[in-house]
Amino acid sequence: DAGVTQSPTHLIKTRGQQVTLRCSPISGHKSVSWYQQVLGQGPQFIFQYYEKEERGRGNFPDRFSARQFPNYSSELNVNALLLGDSALYLCASSVVRSGFTYEQYFGPGTRLTVT
Amino acid sequence: AQKVTQAQTEISVVEKEDVTLDCVYETRDTTYYLFWYKQPPSGELVFLIRRNSFDEQNEISGRYSWNFQKSTSSFNFTITASQVVDSAVYFCALSESTGANSKLTFGKGITLSVRP
C-alpha cells in the first residue's frame, strides 16, 4: 500500500507570497495532521482534520489555514510568508476508530524556503 | 501543558555498541500515549512504537527495546548491537488525547551517529 504522499517536495517562495502544500493520506485513513519542523527542532503541531472538520489547532497565526477534501486529502495554506516560515512541513495520517486516534504515519514532507 | 524532554542532543557510538536514548515527559493527564519516531536523513518520520500510559510492560522488538517507567515519567529507548543504518534523529513524542484530536508533542530529538 502507498504511504502518505506530499507535494511538492521542495518549494522556494519570496516573502509576502502565498503557498499551498498538498497531502494524500494512506488509503483508509480519515485523519490528517500537519506539522512544521524547523531545522534542528522537533515537529510542531499545526492542524488536525478528521472527516473534513478541524479537530485541533496548534499555536500558529491565522496566516496558516487548512482544509480536508471528501477523499480525505488535505491542503495547508500559508499566506503572507515570512522568512521564519522556512521549514519542513510534514503531513501525517491516521486511523480513527471508536473515537480513538491511532499512531500517525508521516509523509516525506515539503521543504519550504522563503527568501 | 504537556512537555517532552530529550536531554541528550547528540550521541556517537561504534557499531555493535548498545545505546540508550532518554525521554522524560510531563503531563497532567492520567491517560496518555508515548511514541518514538526515527527520522533518517531523507526526512520522513518513521513510526517505531506507541505505548499507553496504563501499560507499563517493557517491549522488545528485535534489537530495539523500550523501558517505560511512570514513577520517573520516562520512556527510554535502547538499541542493542547498533548498526550504521541506525544513524538518524530519534524523537520521543506524547499525546494526551484519546479522542479524534491527537496532537503529538515532540521532544527536540537525539542525533545518533553509528560509526563503522
Side-chain angles (χ1 to χ4, degrees):
Chain A
D1 286 342
V4 177
T5 59
Q6 293 186 243
S7 63
T9 305
H10 293 88
L11 206 49
I12 299 175
K13 289 286 189 178
T14 304
R15 276 179 298 176
Q17 287 188 318
Q18 174 264 342
V19 67
T20 298
L21 311 181
R22 296 178 176 82
C23 171
S24 292
I26 293 171
S27 177
H29 288 195
K30 298 181 179 180
S31 176
V32 170
S33 298
W34 288 94
Y35 292 81
Q36 179 196 65
Q37 186 179 18
V38 174
L39 195 63
Q41 300 292 318
Q44 296 288 316
F45 173 74
I46 310 175
F47 286 110
Q48 183 192 4
Y49 277 78
Y50 173 60
E51 291 286 12
K52 302 179 287 295
E53 290 187 7
E54 182 183 303
R55 297 302 181 110
R57 172 186 285 254
N59 188 23
F60 280 81
D62 292 343
R63 300 185 295 107
F64 288 77
S65 63
R67 55 179 174 168
Q68 187 177 35
F69 299 98
N71 66 353
Y72 304 108
S73 67
S74 178
E75 286 183 353
L76 174 70
N77 295 285
V78 186
N79 293 322
L81 286 167
L82 303 174
L83 294 178
D85 295 331
S86 296
L88 180 66
Y89 287 85
L90 295 162
C91 173
S93 75
S94 54
V95 171
V96 178
R97 286 197 203 99
S98 301
F100 175 76
T101 301
Y102 287 81
E103 51 272 10
Q104 298 181 31
Y105 292 89
F106 285 80
T110 294
R111 174 74 62 187
L112 172 64
T113 301
V114 182
T115 61
Chain B
Q2 51 188 351
K3 183 180 178 182
V4 174
T5 300
Q6 296 181 263
Q8 303 153 310
T9 53
E10 294 185 22
I11 300 176
S12 180
V13 299
V14 177
E15 208 169 19
K16 298 184 182 176
E17 282 186 30
D18 299 347
V19 58
T20 295
L21 311 181
D22 298 334
C23 173
V24 174
Y25 62 91
E26 295 176 29
T27 177
R28 296 177 185 170
D29 280 12
T30 54
T31 301
Y32 51 90
Y33 301 84
L34 295 163
F35 303 80
W36 276 94
Y37 283 87
K38 173 183 180 180
Q39 188 173 43
S42 61
E44 185 169 343
L45 282 165
V46 178
F47 167 77
L48 296 177
I49 189 171
R50 173 174 62 94
R51 172 60 71 209
N52 306 327
S53 58
F54 42 86
D55 180 4
E56 287 193 71
Q57 278 195 337
N58 292 326
E59 183 157 339
I60 297 174
S61 176
R63 296 184 297 107
Y64 295 170
S65 62
W66 290 270
N67 182 282
F68 176 32
Q69 293 197 342
K70 286 179 76 170
S71 60
T72 55
S73 297
S74 65
F75 185 44
N76 297 336
F77 173 29
T78 297
I79 302 174
T80 302
S82 59
Q83 300 176 1
V84 173
V85 293
D86 295 327
S87 296
V89 182
Y90 290 86
F91 290 97
C92 180
L94 166 70
S95 174
E96 290 180 334
S97 174
T98 58
N101 177 1
S102 61
K103 161 191 168 184
L104 285 172
T105 297
F106 286 85
K108 291 187 176 182
I110 302 169
T111 300
L112 174 65
S113 298
V114 182
R115 309 185 306 275

